[in-house]
Amino acid sequence: MSPAASLQLSFENALPLFAFLRWLFYAGVVFYYAKRGKVWPVVVASMAFYALQNLPALGDAAFLQGMYEKAERRIWASEPLTHLLLTQTIAPQTLRLFLPPLMGGLSVWLWLQLPDIKTLMARPEAPLKHDARDLSVRGMLITAIPLQMVFYRGYIETMMITVPAGLLFLHALFRAADRPTPRNVIIASMALGLAVLVHGVYFFWLPVLPLLPWLCRIFKIRLPDSLTVGRILSLSLISVVIVALMYAVGLGLIRLAGLELDWMNASGGGDGKAFVSFTEDADNPFIAYTFGSWNHIVAVFSILVYAAPLLLPMLVMRTVRMLRMPPPLLRDVMSPADAALLLLTGAFIGFITLWNFDLGFFWDFDLIFSLSIPLALLTERLWSARAAWAALLAVMQTLLWMLAFSRFF
């Protein structure tokens, strides 16, 4: 097993043909209904597809089941709310039968209900209204992401609950980006605070909301005249304080309930190295590469390709085009929602570059791709081709990651 998320993995394995054909039928159903702007048939089809899949017990499944059977009063501080649910309520072996497809259906619904980022730019008078528009590109992008495997029946880890929590924050974030009132900023901050309590990986999204108005101000992107420097500073500070306070209060309530907090995962897992090491350690099996090494670069690039194959070339072309314009004209091609997407993408790149994935590409796939959903939304924002090309892209992307994860099917 190679610890690096190299694209070479997709060319060393055989395609799980029957799993791919099942996905192909599912993708066809999604494309048909999404093309007609119908949300609920896509959600139901997704839940049915996830329920018919079956993954082996991966990652922390054995730990969760063992903790439940031993009635341990210990909660992982890195994902307190989800760990509380999966170890202190119903047996994980029972939850694994129905919870992943339910969370998958909720995630697909939240994904399809996200505002059209192009509409946020084009129709500022009613930017968040959900029309019965063509959702085929968005539907294809969500069916093709590797992260959807966390919704397969049999999967039992915290990430299946983490994804919808992150999508709730995205809804609140885009509303705050479009109308940066104190109320909307506070709601977005509370949504992120909840997401952080669900899984600590969302701490990498903490800088997005405070940096967003500053980025818009620097590049002269549309902002209300009432949003002065002092107001931006206060809202940025409030957003950070709310998230930190919610996390601290959540952990405090868990302690008051008589549960012990386990900080092992929060500090980097078994070897205690949360971030990619700058030095080699032959005795440490959890160090797959050193920072800036060739294997590190290949790993980061490969993850980006698996997460969104066309995003890199599309982003480079659009950036080159924008850099040729004088700064004041950026307001004509970008909205605050676009700036939010760029910050979210930067957070994902920062996470996969800095974080030391103990188990490597195969077994840490849920954590590796946990913050990747905004990349699909950014791909949609930059998309200008026909919807049919999105279907072809989805097929290519799924071929790649099913080859890489073929041992799971």
Side-chain angles (χ1 to χ4, degrees):
M1 180 181 72
S2 172
S6 171
L7 284 170
Q8 184 180 355
L9 296 173
S10 287
F11 303 101
E12 292 179 346
N13 301 323
L15 178 69
L17 185 59
F18 289 112
F20 177 72
L21 290 176
R22 286 194 300 269
W23 175 86
L24 199 60
F25 177 78
Y26 159 63
V29 173
V30 169
F31 186 81
Y32 177 83
Y33 285 108
K35 183 74 175 171
R36 289 154 180 77
K38 298 185 181 296
V39 172
W40 283 108
V42 176
V43 172
V44 173
S46 299
M47 292 176 66
F49 174 71
Y50 298 144
L52 291 174
Q53 309 308 304
N54 193 23
L55 283 185
L58 302 174
D60 295 324
F63 289 104
L64 295 170
Q65 183 64 26
M67 293 179 71
Y68 176 83
E69 291 173 353
K70 296 174 184 176
E72 291 190 30
R73 304 283 289 172
R74 177 166 56 93
I75 300 298
W76 292 344
S78 56
E79 50 249 59
L81 285 187
T82 42
H83 202 250
L84 188 69
L85 171 67
L86 296 177
T87 62
Q88 307 296 321
T89 56
I90 302 174
Q93 289 299 330
T94 301
L95 290 173
R96 70 193 294 266
L97 300 178
F98 63 89
L99 194 58
L102 286 177
M103 291 294 101
L106 175 60
S107 296
V108 170
W109 182 78
L110 287 169
W111 167 256
L112 294 176
Q113 295 292 342
L114 280 168
D116 183 352
I117 306 301
K118 293 181 181 179
T119 303
L120 284 171
M121 184 71 189
R123 294 191 309 165
E125 72 282 358
L128 296 175
K129 183 179 179 182
H130 179 75
D131 298 327
R133 61 183 185 272
D134 182 351
L135 295 170
S136 54
V137 172
R138 179 169 293 186
M140 286 295 94
L141 292 175
I142 196 65
T143 62
I145 60 173
L147 192 59
Q148 70 169 295
M149 281 201 300
V150 304
F151 304 129
Y152 286 5
R153 183 175 178 269
Y155 182 88
I156 186 70
E157 275 204 40
T158 57
M159 198 55 67
M160 61 177 170
I161 307 170
T162 301
V163 175
L167 286 165
L168 281 174
F169 169 66
L170 293 184
H171 276 271
L173 174 66
F174 291 130
R175 185 173 292 275
D178 183 64
R179 297 186 179 91
T181 62
R183 178 176 180 272
N184 286 343
V185 171
I186 290 172
I187 291 174
S189 303
M190 293 177 67
L192 182 58
L194 176 63
V196 165
L197 281 169
V198 170
H199 202 296
V201 69
Y202 287 129
F203 270 118
F204 276 82
W205 280 359
L206 182 60
V208 173
L209 194 54
L211 287 179
L212 178 58
W214 295 106
L215 187 65
C216 292
R217 187 176 184 85
I218 291 171
F219 290 102
K220 298 181 173 59
I221 300 170
R222 176 176 56 89
L223 280 177
D225 294 334
S226 59
L227 209 59
T228 61
V229 172
R231 196 175 181 87
I232 290 175
L233 183 62
S234 61
L235 290 177
S236 299
L237 182 61
I238 287 171
S239 66
V240 174
V241 169
I242 287 177
V243 175
L245 190 61
M246 287 185 65
Y247 183 69
V249 169
L251 294 186
L253 290 174
I254 289 174
R255 290 291 292 134
L256 285 175
L259 297 167
E260 178 188 352
L261 292 174
D262 186 338
W263 292 89
M264 183 185 72
N265 282 349
S267 61
D271 64 347
K273 288 188 178 294
F275 301 103
V276 177
S277 176
F278 283 89
T279 58
E280 295 182 358
D281 186 352
D283 296 327
N284 191 337
F286 298 111
I287 297 180
Y289 37 69
T290 55
F291 192 90
S293 65
W294 175 248
N295 283 340
H296 185 208
I297 295 171
V298 169
V300 172
F301 178 79
S302 299
I303 291 170
L304 287 171
V305 173
Y306 281 113
L310 283 188
L311 180 59
L312 282 176
M314 291 169 70
L315 201 56
V316 169
M317 289 188 294
R318 184 61 62 93
T319 302
V320 170
R321 190 185 309 168
M322 288 173 55
L323 289 175
R324 293 174 179 172
M325 303 177 182
L329 295 183
L330 285 176
R331 71 177 67 187
D332 299 328
V333 295
M334 284 186 67
S335 69
D338 292 325
L341 275 178
L342 291 177
L343 287 171
L344 289 164
T345 301
F348 173 66
I349 295 172
F351 174 61
I352 61 176
T353 301
L354 297 174
W355 194 259
N356 178 41
F357 301 105
D358 287 352
L359 301 180
F361 184 44
F362 284 106
W363 306 105
D364 264 345
F365 79 92
D366 59 330
L367 186 60
I368 287 172
F369 292 108
S370 57
L371 301 182
S372 66
I373 283 185
L375 273 68
L377 204 59
L378 183 57
T379 301
E380 181 193 28
R381 172 66 177 92
L382 300 174
W383 193 267
S384 58
R386 292 177 179 270
W389 288 108
L392 180 60
L393 169 64
V395 171
M396 293 170 56
Q397 184 174 4
T398 306
L399 277 170
L400 273 175
W401 66 257
M402 276 198 173
L403 278 166
F405 294 107
S406 61
R407 63 178 63 192
F408 292 158
F409 296 97

